[in-house]
């Protein structure tokens, strides 16, 4: 027995060493896995907790205290200004826009150029009877549409589109539910209108516009859209596709997280080619039910030659950043190949994401590329996001001249060419965004350089000669035409504070304190 004691001691010492070594290596492996994923410890903890709570509730009860301890170190990067539309004069819709319509052609045909609308029933009728070249002018007031689907009747032409508008933004509010206005005829334009989803349950308010089938050359300009799941839904029908559309100078937002299992994406495009989405303000796109994942906007479904440019995206502004919200995407959440246009192997081809500012999407990436071939991502600023993800072999992406926090990550054999990007890792322990080392006050949208990177070479050919032909003249986020190489979303020396409404902030003392 005495002889066994030294042996047992050695045995337990060895077992103890192996056990502790195993625990140490396990901890190192887990931390390395988390670090290489680009996630901070608090964000990793939150994602694991959410996954376990849904899929393994018993295990969740055991490990939740440990995971919550990791969340304790989290440092928030909040957008703590209230976005008030009445005081907002930055990117997006503006009451300074005046819609003008050429009336000479239609007047010569003996048709009244304007259809005046004063009531709900007159609005429904006007959308059915308006002819090419006519303008449907809504008198100031509120219009409550009770039907779930609002059809249009006739088609416009390239020289004589049909226009639904008000004299000034803010004078007309249209309350909708269901599918909204169904645009299945070409050459329709919509401007200066405020659309509001008016439903008891979020699942009942899907769209303000459904552009479908033959709805080519649709223009949606200078409108406000709020409280819908997908404010603008665009998709083909049969063998017809609503190509060549424009969504410009609009404001999209929700006043609460959308409690629905349906997709929550202000601009949801399938199948359609050659769409331009520019100069829009998209904010508060949270989704609190189903998969709890939302996007600001995406092109997918075998679509081609789409452009996102000069948009301002805030996944969380007035709402807290409690759910998974992504910024702009080529490919979105994906679709089955048989549901894509011409059974395309890619979700999108020839897409461009440039000169956008994407911020406060802290729980996921600011730009997501999913099976998007021949893509260009350049001159964007991504603040308080996880960065850029490029996924699947079909994706081949040129990423250049961006500045972002987080990472540029290749997933599942995606292809990447990158140059001249500034990528700042978020703090591993706290998740804190460090772009404030480069910009004056990015939390509130002041992207004035503290010290701009030196760039004095001629501008790259990719900027003046984009792979996408939708826009032949390229302007930066501030509206200037670049002539020299530059980093980020603007080429001028001073950042355009008015685009983020910073010049109109009442609490200037608070800003000075931040700066």
């Amino acid at each position: 027995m005495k002889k066994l004691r030294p042996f047992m001691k050695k045995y337990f010492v060895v077992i103890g060493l192996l056990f502790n070594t195993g625990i140490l290596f396990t901890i190192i492996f887990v931390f390395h896995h988390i670090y290489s994923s680009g996630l901070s410890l608090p964000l990793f903890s939150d994602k694991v907790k959410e996954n376990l709570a849904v899929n393994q509730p018993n295990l969740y009860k055991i490990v939740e205290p440990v995971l919550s301890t990791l969340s304790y170190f989290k440092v928030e990067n909040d957008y703590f200004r209230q976005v008030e539309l009445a005081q907002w004069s930055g990117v997006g819709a503006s009451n300074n826009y005046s819609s003008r319509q050429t009336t000479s052609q239609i007047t010569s045909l003996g048709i009244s150029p304007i259809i005046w609308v004063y009531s709900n029933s007159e609005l429904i009728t006007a959308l059915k009877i308006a002819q090419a070249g006519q303008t449907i002018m809504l008198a100031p007031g509120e219009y409550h549409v009770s039907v779930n689907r609002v059809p249009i009747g006739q088609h416009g032409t390239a020289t004589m589109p049909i226009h639904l508008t008000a004299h000034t933004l803010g004078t007309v509010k249209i309350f909708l539910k269901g599918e909204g206005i169904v645009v299945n005829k070409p050459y329709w334009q919509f401007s200066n209108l405020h659309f509001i989803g008016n439903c008891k349950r979020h699942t009942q308010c899907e769209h303000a516009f459904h552009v479908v089938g033959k709805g080519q050359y649709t223009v949606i300009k200078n409108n406000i859209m709020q409280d819908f799941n997908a404010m603008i839904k665009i998709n083909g029908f049969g063998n017809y596709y609503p190509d060549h559309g424009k969504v410009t100078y609009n404001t999209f937002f929700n006043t609460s997280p959308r409690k629905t299992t349906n997709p929550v994406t202000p601009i949801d495009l399938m199948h359609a080619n050659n769409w331009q989405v520019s100069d829009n303000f998209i904010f508060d796109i949270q989704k609190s039910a189903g998969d709890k994942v939302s996007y600001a906007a995406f092109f997918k479904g075998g679509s081609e030659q789409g452009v996102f440019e000069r948009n301002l995206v805030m996944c969380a502004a007035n709402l807290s950043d409690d759910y998974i919200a992504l910024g702009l995407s080529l490919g979105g959440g994906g679709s089955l190949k048989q549901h894509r246009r011409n059974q395309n192997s890619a979700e999108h081809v020839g897409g461009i994401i440039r000169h956008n500012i994407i911020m406060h999407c802290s729980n996921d990436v600011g730009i997501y590329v999913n099976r998007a071939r021949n893509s260009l991502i350049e001159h964007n600023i991504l603040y308080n996001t996880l960065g850029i993800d490029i996924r699947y072999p079909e994706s081949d992406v040129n990423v250049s001249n961006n500045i972002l926090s987080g990472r540029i990550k290749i997933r599942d054999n995606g292809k990447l060419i990158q140059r001249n990007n500034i990528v700042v890792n978020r703090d591993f322990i706290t998740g804190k965004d460090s772009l404030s080392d480069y910009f004056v006050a990015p939390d509130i949208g002041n992207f004035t350089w503290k010290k701009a990177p030196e760039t004095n070479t001629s501008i790259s050919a990719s900027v003046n000669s984009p792979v996408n032909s939708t826009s032949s003249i390229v302007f930066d986020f501030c509206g200037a035409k670049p002539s020299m190489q530059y980093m980020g979303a603007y080429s001028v020396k001073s950042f355009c504070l008015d685009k983020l409404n910073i010049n109109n902030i009442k609490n200037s003392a608070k800003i000075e304190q931040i700066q």
Side-chain angles (χ1 to χ4, degrees):
M1 193 71 178
K2 290 182 178 178
K3 293 180 178 180
L4 285 174
R5 286 178 183 172
F7 173 78
M8 294 299 293
K9 275 187 177 182
K10 291 179 181 179
Y11 172 79
F12 284 115
V13 168
V14 171
I15 292 298
L17 286 172
L18 290 174
F19 179 74
N20 285 287
T21 302
I23 291 176
L24 180 61
F25 273 102
T26 300
I27 292 172
I28 292 172
F29 174 80
V30 170
F31 270 68
H32 180 267
H33 174 73
I34 299 171
Y35 186 80
S36 62
S37 72
L39 302 178
S40 65
L41 279 177
L43 184 54
F44 174 81
S45 170
D46 292 341
K47 286 183 176 292
V48 171
K49 280 195 296 184
E50 185 172 322
N51 182 58
L52 291 179
V54 174
N55 299 313
Q56 300 184 50
N58 292 329
L59 180 59
Y60 170 77
K61 294 177 182 178
I62 297 172
V63 302
E64 191 275 335
V66 177
L67 294 173
S68 294
T69 301
L70 296 178
S71 299
Y72 175 78
F73 297 100
K74 185 176 183 180
V75 173
E76 299 285 353
N77 296 275
D78 293 327
Y79 184 75
F80 46 82
R81 290 198 291 153
Q82 190 77 11
V83 176
E84 298 178 3
L85 291 186
Q87 282 78 44
W88 182 268
S89 62
V91 176
S94 167
N95 57 15
N96 295 323
Y97 172 73
S98 176
S99 59
R100 297 178 180 179
Q101 190 80 347
T102 302
T103 60
S104 57
Q105 286 179 284
I106 192 167
T107 303
S108 65
L109 297 174
I111 301 172
S112 174
I114 298 178
I115 301 175
W116 280 96
V117 168
Y118 298 91
S119 68
N120 302 331
S121 59
E122 288 178 354
L123 171 59
I124 300 295
T125 300
L127 289 169
K128 292 179 181 178
I129 67 171
Q131 299 182 47
Q134 285 191 302
T135 293
I136 304 170
M137 184 66 68
L138 276 64
E142 294 185 355
Y143 296 80
H144 293 259
V145 179
S146 59
V147 296
N148 287 320
R149 187 176 191 272
V150 184
I152 62 174
Q154 311 299 319
H155 64 80
T157 69
T159 56
M160 294 194 300
I162 303 174
H163 196 179
L164 176 68
T165 189
H167 268 307
T168 307
L169 180 68
T171 60
V172 170
K173 293 182 178 180
I174 302 176
F175 293 83
L176 294 171
K177 60 182 180 180
E179 196 178 358
I181 298 175
V182 181
V183 185
N184 56 2
K185 305 286 193 306
Y187 295 105
W188 274 75
Q189 299 179 356
F190 305 87
S191 65
N192 285 352
L193 304 170
H194 187 164
F195 296 91
I196 302 173
N198 186 29
C199 304
K200 291 181 179 179
R201 294 181 304 195
H202 289 176
T203 53
Q204 296 173 325
C205 277
E206 281 296 303
H207 318 307
F209 294 100
H210 188 182
V211 184
V212 61
K214 297 181 180 180
Q216 296 92 358
Y217 296 97
T218 297
V219 176
I220 300 172
K221 184 175 184 178
N222 204 62
N223 303 280
I224 299 172
M225 283 163 262
Q226 72 175 80
D227 295 332
F228 297 91
N229 298 330
M231 285 76 164
I232 302 176
K233 172 66 177 177
I234 304 154
N235 63 274
F237 184 76
N239 293 320
Y240 297 100
Y241 301 97
D243 297 338
H244 306 289
K246 291 184 179 182
V247 179
T248 60
Y249 300 98
N250 301 283
T251 297
F252 304 84
F253 72 101
N254 290 313
T255 55
S256 65
R258 302 300 291 173
K259 194 173 182 180
T260 178
T261 59
N262 297 336
V264 172
T265 304
I267 304 169
D268 177 334
L269 182 146
M270 285 273 292
H271 311 132
N273 296 340
N274 295 292
W275 273 72
Q276 178 187 351
V277 176
S278 61
D279 302 284
N280 301 287
F281 182 23
I282 305 171
F283 68 97
D284 285 341
I285 58 171
Q286 305 287 301
K287 176 182 176 182
S288 63
D291 60 8
K292 300 181 182 179
V293 177
S294 58
Y295 292 79
F298 59 62
F299 302 142
K300 69 174 187 178
S303 53
E304 298 186 0
Q305 307 298 317
V307 177
F308 290 118
E309 60 184 351
R310 295 185 303 277
N311 300 287
L312 173 61
V313 175
M314 298 180 193
C315 292
N318 296 345
L319 301 180
S320 58
D321 200 0
D322 294 331
Y323 307 99
I324 298 173
L326 294 84
L328 302 176
S329 176
L330 302 175
S335 60
L336 296 176
K337 186 176 179 179
Q338 59 265 36
H339 294 159
R340 299 176 202 154
R341 183 170 178 170
N342 300 324
Q343 296 192 0
N344 199 325
S345 61
E347 290 287 349
H348 194 78
V349 178
I352 294 177
I353 301 178
R354 65 184 169 209
H355 295 128
N356 303 281
I357 293 180
I358 303 169
M359 54 194 297
H360 296 308
C361 309
S362 66
N363 296 318
D364 218 305
V365 294
I367 295 177
Y368 179 48
V369 179
N370 176 9
R371 291 192 169 96
R373 190 166 60 246
N374 191 23
S375 305
L376 177 63
I377 299 172
E378 64 177 1
H379 293 293
N380 302 283
I381 295 174
L382 277 60
Y383 174 68
N384 192 25
T385 84
L386 293 189
I388 300 172
D389 274 10
I390 298 163
R391 194 173 187 187
Y392 297 121
E394 294 85 352
S395 295
D396 59 279
V397 190
N398 186 324
V399 180
S400 61
N401 298 303
N402 305 278
I403 178 165
L404 61 138
S405 54
R407 80 287 169 103
I408 300 175
K409 185 174 183 179
I410 300 171
R411 300 170 58 189
D412 301 306
N413 301 312
K415 303 179 188 70
L416 168 66
I417 298 173
Q418 61 174 316
R419 62 182 180 85
N420 299 339
N421 300 289
I422 297 176
V423 182
V424 181
N425 293 330
R426 298 179 66 173
D427 188 272
F428 180 62
I429 303 297
T430 66
K432 186 178 186 303
D433 194 301
S434 298
L435 279 190
S436 56
D437 295 341
Y438 290 86
F439 299 117
V440 170
D443 273 358
I444 62 168
N446 187 343
F447 291 98
T448 301
W449 289 103
K450 285 184 175 177
K451 183 180 180 181
E454 292 184 8
T455 51
N456 54 9
T457 58
S458 297
I459 198 161
S460 65
S462 64
V463 176
N464 283 330
S465 303
V467 296
N468 188 305
S469 60
T470 301
S471 177
S472 58
I473 301 176
V474 177
F475 296 94
D476 68 13
F477 182 84
C478 290
K481 187 176 181 181
S483 59
M484 300 294 288
Q485 190 63 268
Y486 58 102
M487 295 292 302
Y490 65 98
S491 60
V492 289
K493 290 184 179 180
S494 301
F495 180 61
C496 43
L497 296 177
D498 58 311
K499 295 286 186 179
L500 271 292
N501 202 50
I502 292 176
N503 291 333
N504 290 336
I505 299 176
K506 297 177 181 178
N507 194 353
S508 58
K510 189 171 186 180
I511 296 175
E512 290 174 4
Q513 183 179 359
I514 296 165
Q515 296 177 349

